[in-house]
Amino acid sequence: MAILALAYACEPGKGSEPEAGWMWGRMLARLDDVWVITRANNADAVTAALPGIPERDRLQFEFVDLPRWARFWKRRQRGVRLYYMLWQLAALKRARRLARRQSFDIIWHLTLANVWLGSLAPLVGGRFVYGPVGGGVGLPWGFITTLGLRGFT
């Protein structure tokens, strides 16, 4: 069983979402061979950490990023969601190229998985897994007295 994973955030030792991408990739590699598509800015940390982990022979990384001129979108969080959506297009292109060379049993969208942003990974073809996913959470109306209307937006 070969797995192709999209992990926008995937960086060992970084904590939070980047650490989740790294650890999920490692956990999946315990099942079988895994190809992880992630951002190019994660390359140095991933390359340095890879030789020291037991899953190293079952993990392959593809580093994808947008052209330098497009990176201004993610500065100071102003356009990070737009940048992420554009990155997904670039990752999809790379994923399709990989899928022509290697048959994948599962396509898995790992990080920055958000219900309302969606994923382009199913367009690679094959069985698709989405998550862990966030963003679909609602609050009970009883909290409005504590949080106020701003707390609900």
Side-chain angles (χ1 to χ4, degrees):
M1 174 173 65
I3 301 168
L4 175 63
L6 275 71
Y8 176 87
C10 180
E11 190 173 351
K14 187 77 173 202
S16 194
E17 192 87 0
E19 188 75 27
W22 171 250
M23 293 307 292
W24 270 93
R26 289 185 62 189
M27 286 187 291
L28 292 174
R30 292 175 186 165
L31 301 174
D32 213 329
D33 294 328
V34 177
W35 284 255
V36 178
I37 298 175
T38 189
R39 294 209 33 238
N41 71 320
N42 300 325
D44 290 343
V46 166
T47 304
L50 204 52
I53 63 169
E55 305 86 8
R56 68 184 163 271
D57 295 332
R58 297 180 102 174
L59 267 172
Q60 296 186 49
F61 286 85
E62 295 282 327
F63 302 102
V64 173
D65 237 326
L66 297 179
R68 177 171 248 113
W69 62 265
R71 294 185 194 152
F72 78 94
W73 284 109
K74 64 182 177 61
R75 289 198 185 114
R76 289 179 264 157
Q77 300 297 313
R78 177 180 55 228
V80 73
R81 287 182 184 94
L82 174 61
Y83 184 87
Y84 170 64
M85 295 305 292
L86 294 172
W87 179 84
Q88 279 199 64
L89 286 170
L92 174 63
K93 183 178 177 182
R94 179 71 59 90
R96 285 179 168 168
R97 192 175 325 137
L98 282 171
R100 285 193 293 270
R101 293 191 323 240
Q102 166 70 42
S103 177
F104 294 106
D105 299 293
I106 298 174
I107 312 299
W108 201 314
H109 189 120
L110 290 176
T111 61
L112 257 60
N114 191 304
V115 169
W116 56 273
L117 281 176
S119 175
L120 298 179
L123 300 177
V124 176
R127 291 185 289 168
F128 173 64
V129 178
Y130 192 36
V133 181
V137 180
L139 290 173
W141 282 104
F143 283 117
I144 200 164
T145 57
T146 304
L147 299 174
L149 288 176
R150 271 188 83 141
F152 275 75
T153 59

